[in-house]
Amino acid sequence: MIDKLAFIEIQDKKVLVARTRGRNVYYLPGGKRETGESDEQALTREIEEELTIKIDPASVEFYGTFLAQAHGQPQGVMVNMRCYAGLYSGEIAPSAEIEEVAWLSYADREKVSEVDKIIFDDLKARELLD
């Protein structure tokens, strides 16, 4: 089981995604918790490292937890994704291992990892994505 956190940012009914160098799919930005970190601490650290923005920890709201086959891992290796939304300051820009950021609609669902497809379905069902 891979335990990950993700940041959900929606603008104009599109969701922010990132693509890591050398990968062929997009992911919701985020990452893994370091020892002793809370979800909020890990999320704010990962997002600042990846996208150069600062999430306001007081604004972080839990969105949901999603489980699916982990992309690029052997069959049966699952990812447990805890998703959060929140306010941020700064300009979104790719940093560290991130090669590209994009805003995707539901029509772009096939461009994302398996767990993100489930999240896209949920966002669509809540009428947050076009």
Side-chain angles (χ1 to χ4, degrees), residues 82-103:
R82 292 181 52 81
C83 299
Y84 294 87
L87 302 174
Y88 66 89
S89 60
E91 294 294 320
I92 295 169
S95 183
E97 73 271 12
I98 303 303
E99 185 168 346
E100 176 187 10
V101 294
W103 295 91

Side-chain angles (χ1 to χ4, degrees), residues 117-129:
K117 287 177 184 173
I118 296 169
I119 298 166
F120 269 48
D121 292 344
D122 189 79
L123 292 167
K124 178 71 171 169
R126 295 185 195 202
E127 298 182 353
L128 297 171
L129 284 187

Side-chain angles (χ1 to χ4, degrees), residues 57-114:
S59 74
V60 173
E61 292 184 18
F62 180 69
Y63 177 85
T65 300
F66 302 88
L67 182 69
Q69 168 67 38
H71 181 78
Q73 298 292 323
Q75 188 61 35
V77 175
M78 305 296 284
V79 61
N80 184 59
M81 185 85 76
R82 292 181 52 81
C83 299
Y84 294 87
L87 302 174
Y88 66 89
S89 60
E91 294 294 320
I92 295 169
S95 183
E97 73 271 12
I98 303 303
E99 185 168 346
E100 176 187 10
V101 294
W103 295 91
L104 301 183
S105 68
Y106 190 74
D108 300 307
R109 182 181 178 274
E110 293 306 311
K111 297 178 181 179
V112 300
S113 69
E114 291 305 311

Side-chain angles (χ1 to χ4, degrees), residues 6-106:
F7 179 58
I8 295 180
E9 172 63 13
I10 297 172
Q11 293 182 13
D12 301 321
K13 295 223 172 187
K14 293 183 178 182
V15 65
L16 176 66
V17 294
R19 187 174 57 76
T20 305
R21 281 178 181 53
R23 297 287 178 109
N24 61 351
V25 297
Y26 291 94
Y27 299 87
L28 291 173
K32 297 177 186 172
R33 185 182 301 106
E34 291 182 357
T35 305
E37 282 185 320
S38 69
D39 283 6
E40 291 81 5
Q41 289 168 329
L43 185 69
T44 56
R45 177 187 50 76
E46 284 284 348
I47 296 306
E48 186 170 0
E49 288 173 5
E50 293 183 357
L51 303 177
T52 72
I53 57 174
K54 292 184 185 280
I55 295 177
D56 174 4
S59 74
V60 173
E61 292 184 18
F62 180 69
Y63 177 85
T65 300
F66 302 88
L67 182 69
Q69 168 67 38
H71 181 78
Q73 298 292 323
Q75 188 61 35
V77 175
M78 305 296 284
V79 61
N80 184 59
M81 185 85 76
R82 292 181 52 81
C83 299
Y84 294 87
L87 302 174
Y88 66 89
S89 60
E91 294 294 320
I92 295 169
S95 183
E97 73 271 12
I98 303 303
E99 185 168 346
E100 176 187 10
V101 294
W103 295 91
L104 301 183
S105 68
Y106 190 74

